[in-house]
Amino acid sequence: MRRRRGLLAGMALAALVAVGLALGVPLLRDRSQHRLERRADREVTATAQRTRAVLLAEPSAREADLRQAADSVDDVEVLTVAAGAAEVRLVFRVRVAKTAASVFGWQRAEAAACFAQVVRRVATPAPLERLPCPR
């Protein structure tokens, strides 16, 4: 009788652990994936800010030079460059791919965003503008 109760209690505990793992592991994996995606998105923003700093370092540069400066930043692709009378407007895309090892194996996250930066010939910098990316 005592042995049977111990066996039942052990089986109930094993079933509880199995259900807990079945529910908990996907939640932990999703949380880990979301954390990696947030890191990728933060890196996209940081790369865009670095690109902005590179572009604004030489406000008197020609549009070809500004395109080349933006292209020199890793993970940046210049989409358009439009020159006006006193300014140059660049639209660029930043793409970042992150991988990380976790208890659940390798996880991968990709993030991309498009930005526009106006570089004026005078020393008044314009803000970095986030845009929807073209398809």
Side-chain angles (χ1 to χ4, degrees), residues 29-39 107:
R29 185 177 327 127
D30 286 347
R31 181 177 173 172
S32 177
Q33 181 66 33
H34 288 305
R35 192 174 323 133
L36 187 60
E37 289 168 359
R38 283 192 308 270
R39 280 183 32 211
Q107 292 181 308

Side-chain angles (χ1 to χ4, degrees), residues 4 9 16 34 69 89 95 113:
R4 182 180 267 171
L16 185 63
H34 288 305
R89 182 171 198 242
R95 291 181 191 203

Side-chain angles (χ1 to χ4, degrees), residues 55 58 60-72 78 80-83 88-90 121:
L55 292 171
E58 279 299 321
S60 62
R62 297 182 344 250
E63 61 184 280
D65 295 333
L66 291 172
R67 175 187 281 276
Q68 187 176 21
D71 274 335
S72 71
V78 176
T80 62
V81 179
V88 177
R89 182 171 198 242
L90 286 97
R121 307 243 188 265

Side-chain angles (χ1 to χ4, degrees), residues 38-62:
R38 283 192 308 270
R39 280 183 32 211
D41 192 51
R42 282 193 306 269
E43 189 167 324
V44 163
T45 303
T47 301
Q49 290 293 337
R50 274 196 317 276
T51 305
R52 178 180 189 269
V54 167
L55 292 171
L56 295 178
E58 279 299 321
S60 62
R62 297 182 344 250

Side-chain angles (χ1 to χ4, degrees), residues 41 44-45 92-95 111-115 130-133:
D41 192 51
V44 163
T45 303
F92 58 94
R93 179 187 335 235
V94 179
R95 291 181 191 203
C114 292
F115 300 88
R130 192 170 190 146
L131 305 171
C133 287

